[in-house]
Amino acid sequence: MSFEQDIKRLRQSKKMTQQELADILHVSRQTVSTWENGKNYPSLEILRSICVLFDVSFEQIMFGEENTMKNKQDMATAIDREVKLKTRYKKLTIILATIFVFFGAWISVLVFGYSKGVATIDRWNPFLTYQVSYTKMPALTKKDSQREWTAWYSDNEMGTSWTKLTLSTGENPGVVEPYVMAYHKGSYVKTSRIVPASEVSTLVRGDLETFEKYQQETSKIGASDDSNFQKDLKKKVHLTDTIRTINNN
């Protein structure tokens, strides 16, 4: 007999309908029908389940003595194709999973670097762009001017974006009302220089003065909202809508 005849005979010997057999093997009734019509063959896993269900050997149900050579070859070809496809799908799944994990880890590193102000990571972050920011240069001693110092920089004239940058400018060469202009990407500072107030827009200077004044006031008052603002200044390296919030207060 052929496989399609065998599977039908075995099913009928157990007095099962196609639907009952399908339910046991967790396939559709149409799938069982295609087996019995010789249009398709079950997978290796399902073949093993059929052997257990009907108590027949794997070899018998696949290569019964009455099977023709063509049926044997067709079934062997179908099974071989399925094995190759499963192997290919498994490799593809592993590759895609590896890419997904790598991409997820890469994005996590970029987000971590940006939120924590890791300059080395921000330098190679393709989602960040270089921008020019300003801050008022603090009064530094000659010794302090040779070391890195940290300050909040205004990223735009609207006062809605601020970045905490750490850099070293060296000693003020004698500029009156000195400001620091930083060319940076996230927390990575590519270059900076000391500039006079005349080179900084009036809006930016006003934002910096308001920001500095508010920092000083909130550090003294200690009110709940102000305390939260001071905590943000210590923990974060990026602030948004700061001047708008200050003005509303």
Side-chain angles (χ1 to χ4, degrees), residues 223-246:
S224 59
D225 291 342
D226 298 331
S227 296
N228 290 333
F229 178 74
Q230 287 295 330
K231 289 178 181 178
D232 283 344
L233 294 184
K234 292 179 180 179
K235 293 180 179 179
K236 296 182 179 180
V237 293
H238 303 283
L239 291 176
T240 57
D241 296 333
T242 303
I243 295 301
R244 186 181 305 168
T245 303
I246 293 173

mmCIF file with all atom_site columns, all heavy atoms in Angstrom, residues 223-246:
data_model
loop_
_atom_site.group_PDB
_atom_site.id
_atom_site.type_symbol
_atom_site.label_atom_id
_atom_site.label_alt_id
_atom_site.label_comp_id
_atom_site.label_asym_id
_atom_site.label_entity_id
_atom_site.label_seq_id
_atom_site.pdbx_PDB_ins_code
_atom_site.Cartn_x
_atom_site.Cartn_y
_atom_site.Cartn_z
_atom_site.occupancy
_atom_site.B_iso_or_equiv
_atom_site.pdbx_formal_charge
_atom_site.auth_seq_id
_atom_site.auth_comp_id
_atom_site.auth_asym_id
_atom_site.auth_atom_id
_atom_site.pdbx_PDB_model_num
ATOM 1   N N   . ALA A 1 223 ? 12.282 75.134 49.261 1.00 0.00 ? 223 ALA A N   1
ATOM 2   C CA  . ALA A 1 223 ? 10.895 74.688 49.097 1.00 0.00 ? 223 ALA A CA  1
ATOM 3   C C   . ALA A 1 223 ? 10.866 73.390 48.319 1.00 0.00 ? 223 ALA A C   1
ATOM 4   O O   . ALA A 1 223 ? 11.830 73.044 47.643 1.00 0.00 ? 223 ALA A O   1
ATOM 5   C CB  . ALA A 1 223 ? 10.081 75.761 48.363 1.00 0.00 ? 223 ALA A CB  1
ATOM 6   N N   . SER A 1 224 ? 9.738  72.655 48.389 1.00 0.00 ? 224 SER A N   1
ATOM 7   C CA  . SER A 1 224 ? 9.680  71.325 47.789 1.00 0.00 ? 224 SER A CA  1
ATOM 8   C C   . SER A 1 224 ? 9.930  71.365 46.289 1.00 0.00 ? 224 SER A C   1
ATOM 9   O O   . SER A 1 224 ? 10.735 70.594 45.755 1.00 0.00 ? 224 SER A O   1
ATOM 10  C CB  . SER A 1 224 ? 8.315  70.679 48.071 1.00 0.00 ? 224 SER A CB  1
ATOM 11  O OG  . SER A 1 224 ? 7.274  71.495 47.542 1.00 0.00 ? 224 SER A OG  1
ATOM 12  N N   . ASP A 1 225 ? 9.243  72.270 45.562 1.00 0.00 ? 225 ASP A N   1
ATOM 13  C CA  . ASP A 1 225 ? 9.436  72.357 44.118 1.00 0.00 ? 225 ASP A CA  1
ATOM 14  C C   . ASP A 1 225 ? 10.865 72.759 43.787 1.00 0.00 ? 225 ASP A C   1
ATOM 15  O O   . ASP A 1 225 ? 11.477 72.252 42.863 1.00 0.00 ? 225 ASP A O   1
ATOM 16  C CB  . ASP A 1 225 ? 8.461  73.369 43.501 1.00 0.00 ? 225 ASP A CB  1
ATOM 17  C CG  . ASP A 1 225 ? 7.023  72.879 43.568 1.00 0.00 ? 225 ASP A CG  1
ATOM 18  O OD1 . ASP A 1 225 ? 6.853  71.663 43.765 1.00 0.00 ? 225 ASP A OD1 1
ATOM 19  O OD2 . ASP A 1 225 ? 6.107  73.694 43.427 1.00 0.00 ? 225 ASP A OD2 1
ATOM 20  N N   . ASP A 1 226 ? 11.388 73.696 44.556 1.00 0.00 ? 226 ASP A N   1
ATOM 21  C CA  . ASP A 1 226 ? 12.746 74.163 44.309 1.00 0.00 ? 226 ASP A CA  1
ATOM 22  C C   . ASP A 1 226 ? 13.769 73.085 44.621 1.00 0.00 ? 226 ASP A C   1
ATOM 23  O O   . ASP A 1 226 ? 14.788 72.961 43.959 1.00 0.00 ? 226 ASP A O   1
ATOM 24  C CB  . ASP A 1 226 ? 13.032 75.413 45.157 1.00 0.00 ? 226 ASP A CB  1
ATOM 25  C CG  . ASP A 1 226 ? 12.099 76.566 44.782 1.00 0.00 ? 226 ASP A CG  1
ATOM 26  O OD1 . ASP A 1 226 ? 11.683 76.605 43.614 1.00 0.00 ? 226 ASP A OD1 1
ATOM 27  O OD2 . ASP A 1 226 ? 11.801 77.391 45.652 1.00 0.00 ? 226 ASP A OD2 1
ATOM 28  N N   . SER A 1 227 ? 13.481 72.305 45.677 1.00 0.00 ? 227 SER A N   1
ATOM 29  C CA  . SER A 1 227 ? 14.395 71.215 46.030 1.00 0.00 ? 227 SER A CA  1
ATOM 30  C C   . SER A 1 227 ? 14.444 70.198 44.901 1.00 0.00 ? 227 SER A C   1
ATOM 31  O O   . SER A 1 227 ? 15.507 69.655 44.571 1.00 0.00 ? 227 SER A O   1
ATOM 32  C CB  . SER A 1 227 ? 13.928 70.537 47.326 1.00 0.00 ? 227 SER A CB  1
ATOM 33  O OG  . SER A 1 227 ? 13.985 71.443 48.400 1.00 0.00 ? 227 SER A OG  1
ATOM 34  N N   . ASN A 1 228 ? 13.293 69.910 44.282 1.00 0.00 ? 228 ASN A N   1
ATOM 35  C CA  . ASN A 1 228 ? 13.258 68.987 43.151 1.00 0.00 ? 228 ASN A CA  1
ATOM 36  C C   . ASN A 1 228 ? 14.071 69.542 41.990 1.00 0.00 ? 228 ASN A C   1
ATOM 37  O O   . ASN A 1 228 ? 14.745 68.798 41.275 1.00 0.00 ? 228 ASN A O   1
ATOM 38  C CB  . ASN A 1 228 ? 11.816 68.745 42.698 1.00 0.00 ? 228 ASN A CB  1
ATOM 39  C CG  . ASN A 1 228 ? 11.029 67.937 43.709 1.00 0.00 ? 228 ASN A CG  1
ATOM 40  O OD1 . ASN A 1 228 ? 11.610 67.158 44.462 1.00 0.00 ? 228 ASN A OD1 1
ATOM 41  N ND2 . ASN A 1 228 ? 9.719  68.131 43.742 1.00 0.00 ? 228 ASN A ND2 1
ATOM 42  N N   . PHE A 1 229 ? 13.994 70.850 41.797 1.00 0.00 ? 229 PHE A N   1
ATOM 43  C CA  . PHE A 1 229 ? 14.768 71.484 40.728 1.00 0.00 ? 229 PHE A CA  1
ATOM 44  C C   . PHE A 1 229 ? 16.267 71.308 40.988 1.00 0.00 ? 229 PHE A C   1
ATOM 45  O O   . PHE A 1 229 ? 17.030 70.989 40.086 1.00 0.00 ? 229 PHE A O   1
ATOM 46  C CB  . PHE A 1 229 ? 14.408 72.973 40.655 1.00 0.00 ? 229 PHE A CB  1
ATOM 47  C CG  . PHE A 1 229 ? 15.183 73.731 39.614 1.00 0.00 ? 229 PHE A CG  1
ATOM 48  C CD1 . PHE A 1 229 ? 14.902 73.591 38.272 1.00 0.00 ? 229 PHE A CD1 1
ATOM 49  C CD2 . PHE A 1 229 ? 16.217 74.589 39.985 1.00 0.00 ? 229 PHE A CD2 1
ATOM 50  C CE1 . PHE A 1 229 ? 15.611 74.293 37.303 1.00 0.00 ? 229 PHE A CE1 1
ATOM 51  C CE2 . PHE A 1 229 ? 16.934 75.294 39.034 1.00 0.00 ? 229 PHE A CE2 1
ATOM 52  C CZ  . PHE A 1 229 ? 16.636 75.146 37.691 1.00 0.00 ? 229 PHE A CZ  1
ATOM 53  N N   . GLN A 1 230 ? 16.669 71.501 42.234 1.00 0.00 ? 230 GLN A N   1
ATOM 54  C CA  . GLN A 1 230 ? 18.082 71.345 42.579 1.00 0.00 ? 230 GLN A CA  1
ATOM 55  C C   . GLN A 1 230 ? 18.533 69.890 42.405 1.00 0.00 ? 230 GLN A C   1
ATOM 56  O O   . GLN A 1 230 ? 19.656 69.627 41.980 1.00 0.00 ? 230 GLN A O   1
ATOM 57  C CB  . GLN A 1 230 ? 18.329 71.800 44.026 1.00 0.00 ? 230 GLN A CB  1
ATOM 58  C CG  . GLN A 1 230 ? 18.268 73.305 44.232 1.00 0.00 ? 230 GLN A CG  1
ATOM 59  C CD  . GLN A 1 230 ? 19.379 74.029 43.494 1.00 0.00 ? 230 GLN A CD  1
ATOM 60  O OE1 . GLN A 1 230 ? 20.464 73.487 43.299 1.00 0.00 ? 230 GLN A OE1 1
ATOM 61  N NE2 . GLN A 1 230 ? 19.101 75.258 43.073 1.00 0.00 ? 230 GLN A NE2 1
ATOM 62  N N   . LYS A 1 231 ? 17.636 68.945 42.714 1.00 0.00 ? 231 LYS A N   1
ATOM 63  C CA  . LYS A 1 231 ? 17.967 67.525 42.533 1.00 0.00 ? 231 LYS A CA  1
ATOM 64  C C   . LYS A 1 231 ? 18.174 67.210 41.052 1.00 0.00 ? 231 LYS A C   1
ATOM 65  O O   . LYS A 1 231 ? 19.056 66.451 40.680 1.00 0.00 ? 231 LYS A O   1
ATOM 66  C CB  . LYS A 1 231 ? 16.856 66.644 43.105 1.00 0.00 ? 231 LYS A CB  1
ATOM 67  C CG  . LYS A 1 231 ? 16.786 66.656 44.624 1.00 0.00 ? 231 LYS A CG  1
ATOM 68  C CD  . LYS A 1 231 ? 15.636 65.799 45.126 1.00 0.00 ? 231 LYS A CD  1
ATOM 69  C CE  . LYS A 1 231 ? 15.549 65.835 46.646 1.00 0.00 ? 231 LYS A CE  1
ATOM 70  N NZ  . LYS A 1 231 ? 14.391 65.034 47.147 1.00 0.00 ? 231 LYS A NZ  1
ATOM 71  N N   . ASP A 1 232 ? 17.315 67.827 40.200 1.00 0.00 ? 232 ASP A N   1
ATOM 72  C CA  . ASP A 1 232 ? 17.457 67.627 38.760 1.00 0.00 ? 232 ASP A CA  1
ATOM 73  C C   . ASP A 1 232 ? 18.808 68.141 38.275 1.00 0.00 ? 232 ASP A C   1
ATOM 74  O O   . ASP A 1 232 ? 19.448 67.528 37.412 1.00 0.00 ? 232 ASP A O   1
ATOM 75  C CB  . ASP A 1 232 ? 16.328 68.332 38.004 1.00 0.00 ? 232 ASP A CB  1
ATOM 76  C CG  . ASP A 1 232 ? 15.026 67.561 38.075 1.00 0.00 ? 232 ASP A CG  1
ATOM 77  O OD1 . ASP A 1 232 ? 15.077 66.371 38.437 1.00 0.00 ? 232 ASP A OD1 1
ATOM 78  O OD2 . ASP A 1 232 ? 13.969 68.143 37.779 1.00 0.00 ? 232 ASP A OD2 1
ATOM 79  N N   . LEU A 1 233 ? 19.217 69.275 38.836 1.00 0.00 ? 233 LEU A N   1
ATOM 80  C CA  . LEU A 1 233 ? 20.496 69.853 38.420 1.00 0.00 ? 233 LEU A CA  1
ATOM 81  C C   . LEU A 1 233 ? 21.663 68.939 38.768 1.00 0.00 ? 233 LEU A C   1
ATOM 82  O O   . LEU A 1 233 ? 22.662 68.876 38.047 1.00 0.00 ? 233 LEU A O   1
ATOM 83  C CB  . LEU A 1 233 ? 20.700 71.219 39.089 1.00 0.00 ? 233 LEU A CB  1
ATOM 84  C CG  . LEU A 1 233 ? 19.745 72.338 38.683 1.00 0.00 ? 233 LEU A CG  1
ATOM 85  C CD1 . LEU A 1 233 ? 20.146 73.636 39.367 1.00 0.00 ? 233 LEU A CD1 1
ATOM 86  C CD2 . LEU A 1 233 ? 19.734 72.532 37.175 1.00 0.00 ? 233 LEU A CD2 1
ATOM 87  N N   . LYS A 1 234 ? 21.537 68.229 39.870 1.00 0.00 ? 234 LYS A N   1
ATOM 88  C CA  . LYS A 1 234 ? 22.624 67.350 40.303 1.00 0.00 ? 234 LYS A CA  1
ATOM 89  C C   . LYS A 1 234 ? 22.623 66.016 39.554 1.00 0.00 ? 234 LYS A C   1
ATOM 90  O O   . LYS A 1 234 ? 23.671 65.483 39.214 1.00 0.00 ? 234 LYS A O   1
ATOM 91  C CB  . LYS A 1 234 ? 22.515 67.087 41.801 1.00 0.00 ? 234 LYS A CB  1
ATOM 92  C CG  . LYS A 1 234 ? 22.782 68.312 42.665 1.00 0.00 ? 234 LYS A CG  1
ATOM 93  C CD  . LYS A 1 234 ? 22.642 67.985 44.149 1.00 0.00 ? 234 LYS A CD  1
ATOM 94  C CE  . LYS A 1 234 ? 22.905 69.205 45.016 1.00 0.00 ? 234 LYS A CE  1
ATOM 95  N NZ  . LYS A 1 234 ? 22.750 68.902 46.458 1.00 0.00 ? 234 LYS A NZ  1
ATOM 96  N N   . LYS A 1 235 ? 21.418 65.492 39.291 1.00 0.00 ? 235 LYS A N   1
ATOM 97  C CA  . LYS A 1 235 ? 21.317 64.151 38.722 1.00 0.00 ? 235 LYS A CA  1
ATOM 98  C C   . LYS A 1 235 ? 21.383 64.140 37.188 1.00 0.00 ? 235 LYS A C   1
ATOM 99  O O   . LYS A 1 235 ? 21.933 63.223 36.590 1.00 0.00 ? 235 LYS A O   1
ATOM 100 C CB  . LYS A 1 235 ? 20.007 63.485 39.153 1.00 0.00 ? 235 LYS A CB  1
ATOM 101 C CG  . LYS A 1 235 ? 19.941 63.175 40.647 1.00 0.00 ? 235 LYS A CG  1
ATOM 102 C CD  . LYS A 1 235 ? 18.614 62.509 40.978 1.00 0.00 ? 235 LYS A CD  1
ATOM 103 C CE  . LYS A 1 235 ? 18.521 62.171 42.461 1.00 0.00 ? 235 LYS A CE  1
ATOM 104 N NZ  . LYS A 1 235 ? 17.224 61.533 42.795 1.00 0.00 ? 235 LYS A NZ  1
ATOM 105 N N   . LYS A 1 236 ? 20.791 65.165 36.574 1.00 0.00 ? 236 LYS A N   1
ATOM 106 C CA  . LYS A 1 236 ? 20.662 65.142 35.122 1.00 0.00 ? 236 LYS A CA  1
ATOM 107 C C   . LYS A 1 236 ? 21.801 65.884 34.427 1.00 0.00 ? 236 LYS A C   1
ATOM 108 O O   . LYS A 1 236 ? 22.503 66.691 35.031 1.00 0.00 ? 236 LYS A O   1
ATOM 109 C CB  . LYS A 1 236 ? 19.328 65.760 34.713 1.00 0.00 ? 236 LYS A CB  1
ATOM 110 C CG  . LYS A 1 236 ? 18.110 64.983 35.196 1.00 0.00 ? 236 LYS A CG  1
ATOM 111 C CD  . LYS A 1 236 ? 16.822 65.622 34.707 1.00 0.00 ? 236 LYS A CD  1
ATOM 112 C CE  . LYS A 1 236 ? 15.594 64.839 35.157 1.00 0.00 ? 236 LYS A CE  1
ATOM 113 N NZ  . LYS A 1 236 ? 14.332 65.472 34.683 1.00 0.00 ? 236 LYS A NZ  1
ATOM 114 N N   . VAL A 1 237 ? 21.949 65.592 33.147 1.00 0.00 ? 237 VAL A N   1
ATOM 115 C CA  . VAL A 1 237 ? 22.919 66.323 32.315 1.00 0.00 ? 237 VAL A CA  1
ATOM 116 C C   . VAL A 1 237 ? 22.203 67.046 31.181 1.00 0.00 ? 237 VAL A C   1
ATOM 117 O O   . VAL A 1 237 ? 22.824 67.768 30.406 1.00 0.00 ? 237 VAL A O   1
ATOM 118 C CB  . VAL A 1 237 ? 23.993 65.370 31.729 1.00 0.00 ? 237 VAL A CB  1
ATOM 119 C CG1 . VAL A 1 237 ? 24.866 64.807 32.831 1.00 0.00 ? 237 VAL A CG1 1
ATOM 120 C CG2 . VAL A 1 237 ? 23.363 64.265 30.915 1.00 0.00 ? 237 VAL A CG2 1
ATOM 121 N N   . HIS A 1 238 ? 20.863 66.854 31.092 1.00 0.00 ? 238 HIS A N   1
ATOM 122 C CA  . HIS A 1 238 ? 20.060 67.536 30.081 1.00 0.00 ? 238 HIS A CA  1
ATOM 123 C C   . HIS A 1 238 ? 18.775 68.028 30.732 1.00 0.00 ? 238 HIS A C   1
ATOM 124 O O   . HIS A 1 238 ? 18.127 67.294 31.476 1.00 0.00 ? 238 HIS A O   1
ATOM 125 C CB  . HIS A 1 238 ? 19.720 66.590 28.924 1.00 0.00 ? 238 HIS A CB  1
ATOM 126 C CG  . HIS A 1 238 ? 20.912 65.996 28.256 1.00 0.00 ? 238 HIS A CG  1
ATOM 127 N ND1 . HIS A 1 238 ? 21.695 66.699 27.368 1.00 0.00 ? 238 HIS A ND1 1
ATOM 128 C CD2 . HIS A 1 238 ? 21.472 64.762 28.365 1.00 0.00 ? 238 HIS A CD2 1
ATOM 129 C CE1 . HIS A 1 238 ? 22.685 65.925 26.951 1.00 0.00 ? 238 HIS A CE1 1
ATOM 130 N NE2 . HIS A 1 238 ? 22.572 64.752 27.539 1.00 0.00 ? 238 HIS A NE2 1
ATOM 131 N N   . LEU A 1 239 ? 18.421 69.271 30.446 1.00 0.00 ? 239 LEU A N   1
ATOM 132 C CA  . LEU A 1 239 ? 17.178 69.846 30.941 1.00 0.00 ? 239 LEU A CA  1
ATOM 133 C C   . LEU A 1 239 ? 16.427 70.483 29.778 1.00 0.00 ? 239 LEU A C   1
ATOM 134 O O   . LEU A 1 239 ? 17.048 70.984 28.838 1.00 0.00 ? 239 LEU A O   1
ATOM 135 C CB  . LEU A 1 239 ? 17.451 70.919 32.007 1.00 0.00 ? 239 LEU A CB  1
ATOM 136 C CG  . LEU A 1 239 ? 18.014 70.444 33.353 1.00 0.00 ? 239 LEU A CG  1
ATOM 137 C CD1 . LEU A 1 239 ? 18.300 71.657 34.230 1.00 0.00 ? 239 LEU A CD1 1
ATOM 138 C CD2 . LEU A 1 239 ? 17.052 69.504 34.058 1.00 0.00 ? 239 LEU A CD2 1
ATOM 139 N N   . THR A 1 240 ? 15.092 70.473 29.862 1.00 0.00 ? 240 THR A N   1
ATOM 140 C CA  . THR A 1 240 ? 14.270 71.116 28.826 1.00 0.00 ? 240 THR A CA  1
ATOM 141 C C   . THR A 1 240 ? 13.200 71.984 29.477 1.00 0.00 ? 240 THR A C   1
ATOM 142 O O   . THR A 1 240 ? 12.761 71.709 30.600 1.00 0.00 ? 240 THR A O   1
ATOM 143 C CB  . THR A 1 240 ? 13.575 70.065 27.935 1.00 0.00 ? 240 THR A CB  1
ATOM 144 O OG1 . THR A 1 240 ? 12.794 69.200 28.767 1.00 0.00 ? 240 THR A OG1 1
ATOM 145 C CG2 . THR A 1 240 ? 14.604 69.239 27.173 1.00 0.00 ? 240 THR A CG2 1
ATOM 146 N N   . ASP A 1 241 ? 12.791 73.016 28.758 1.00 0.00 ? 241 ASP A N   1
ATOM 147 C CA  . ASP A 1 241 ? 11.731 73.928 29.219 1.00 0.00 ? 241 ASP A CA  1
ATOM 148 C C   . ASP A 1 241 ? 12.056 74.601 30.543 1.00 0.00 ? 241 ASP A C   1
ATOM 149 O O   . ASP A 1 241 ? 11.159 75.002 31.281 1.00 0.00 ? 241 ASP A O   1
ATOM 150 C CB  . ASP A 1 241 ? 10.386 73.170 29.360 1.00 0.00 ? 241 ASP A CB  1
ATOM 151 C CG  . ASP A 1 241 ? 9.907  72.649 28.017 1.00 0.00 ? 241 ASP A CG  1
ATOM 152 O OD1 . ASP A 1 241 ? 10.263 73.262 27.005 1.00 0.00 ? 241 ASP A OD1 1
ATOM 153 O OD2 . ASP A 1 241 ? 9.187  71.642 28.003 1.00 0.00 ? 241 ASP A OD2 1
ATOM 154 N N   . THR A 1 242 ? 13.334 74.740 30.884 1.00 0.00 ? 242 THR A N   1
ATOM 155 C CA  . THR A 1 242 ? 13.701 75.307 32.181 1.00 0.00 ? 242 THR A CA  1
ATOM 156 C C   . THR A 1 242 ? 13.294 76.768 32.319 1.00 0.00 ? 242 THR A C   1
ATOM 157 O O   . THR A 1 242 ? 12.637 77.136 33.284 1.00 0.00 ? 242 THR A O   1
ATOM 158 C CB  . THR A 1 242 ? 15.241 75.197 32.382 1.00 0.00 ? 242 THR A CB  1
ATOM 159 O OG1 . THR A 1 242 ? 15.607 73.820 32.263 1.00 0.00 ? 242 THR A OG1 1
ATOM 160 C CG2 . THR A 1 242 ? 15.617 75.695 33.755 1.00 0.00 ? 242 THR A CG2 1
ATOM 161 N N   . ILE A 1 243 ? 13.661 77.591 31.354 1.00 0.00 ? 243 ILE A N   1
ATOM 162 C CA  . ILE A 1 243 ? 13.346 79.005 31.447 1.00 0.00 ? 243 ILE A CA  1
ATOM 163 C C   . ILE A 1 243 ? 11.848 79.232 31.427 1.00 0.00 ? 243 ILE A C   1
ATOM 164 O O   . ILE A 1 243 ? 11.314 80.089 32.123 1.00 0.00 ? 243 ILE A O   1
ATOM 165 C CB  . ILE A 1 243 ? 14.023 79.786 30.277 1.00 0.00 ? 243 ILE A CB  1
ATOM 166 C CG1 . ILE A 1 243 ? 15.537 79.698 30.437 1.00 0.00 ? 243 ILE A CG1 1
ATOM 167 C CG2 . ILE A 1 243 ? 13.572 81.238 30.278 1.00 0.00 ? 243 ILE A CG2 1
ATOM 168 C CD1 . ILE A 1 243 ? 16.055 80.264 31.735 1.00 0.00 ? 243 ILE A CD1 1
ATOM 169 N N   . ARG A 1 244 ? 11.117 78.451 30.647 1.00 0.00 ? 244 ARG A N   1
ATOM 170 C CA  . ARG A 1 244 ? 9.669  78.558 30.596 1.00 0.00 ? 244 ARG A CA  1
ATOM 171 C C   . ARG A 1 244 ? 9.068  78.256 31.970 1.00 0.00 ? 244 ARG A C   1
ATOM 172 O O   . ARG A 1 244 ? 8.178  78.949 32.454 1.00 0.00 ? 244 ARG A O   1
ATOM 173 C CB  . ARG A 1 244 ? 9.100  77.601 29.558 1.00 0.00 ? 244 ARG A CB  1
ATOM 174 C CG  . ARG A 1 244 ? 7.596  77.743 29.332 1.00 0.00 ? 244 ARG A CG  1
ATOM 175 C CD  . ARG A 1 244 ? 7.113  76.751 28.301 1.00 0.00 ? 244 ARG A CD  1
ATOM 176 N NE  . ARG A 1 244 ? 7.870  76.886 27.055 1.00 0.00 ? 244 ARG A NE  1
ATOM 177 C CZ  . ARG A 1 244 ? 7.829  75.994 26.056 1.00 0.00 ? 244 ARG A CZ  1
ATOM 178 N NH1 . ARG A 1 244 ? 7.083  74.919 26.191 1.00 0.00 ? 244 ARG A NH1 1
ATOM 179 N NH2 . ARG A 1 244 ? 8.518  76.196 24.965 1.00 0.00 ? 244 ARG A NH2 1
ATOM 180 N N   . THR A 1 245 ? 9.610  77.227 32.630 1.00 0.00 ? 245 THR A N   1
ATOM 181 C CA  . THR A 1 245 ? 9.131  76.869 33.962 1.00 0.00 ? 245 THR A CA  1
ATOM 182 C C   . THR A 1 245 ? 9.453  77.977 34.962 1.00 0.00 ? 245 THR A C   1
ATOM 183 O O   . THR A 1 245 ? 8.641  78.331 35.804 1.00 0.00 ? 245 THR A O   1
ATOM 184 C CB  . THR A 1 245 ? 9.800  75.553 34.429 1.00 0.00 ? 245 THR A CB  1
ATOM 185 O OG1 . THR A 1 245 ? 9.517  74.537 33.481 1.00 0.00 ? 245 THR A OG1 1
ATOM 186 C CG2 . THR A 1 245 ? 9.287  75.145 35.794 1.00 0.00 ? 245 THR A CG2 1
ATOM 187 N N   . ILE A 1 246 ? 10.644 78.529 34.868 1.00 0.00 ? 246 ILE A N   1
ATOM 188 C CA  . ILE A 1 246 ? 11.058 79.601 35.768 1.00 0.00 ? 246 ILE A CA  1
ATOM 189 C C   . ILE A 1 246 ? 10.155 80.818 35.597 1.00 0.00 ? 246 ILE A C   1
ATOM 190 O O   . ILE A 1 246 ? 9.688  81.408 36.557 1.00 0.00 ? 246 ILE A O   1
ATOM 191 C CB  . ILE A 1 246 ? 12.530 79.987 35.517 1.00 0.00 ? 246 ILE A CB  1
ATOM 192 C CG1 . ILE A 1 246 ? 13.451 78.825 35.926 1.00 0.00 ? 246 ILE A CG1 1
ATOM 193 C CG2 . ILE A 1 246 ? 12.915 81.246 36.292 1.00 0.00 ? 246 ILE A CG2 1
ATOM 194 C CD1 . ILE A 1 246 ? 14.897 79.039 35.552 1.00 0.00 ? 246 ILE A CD1 1
#
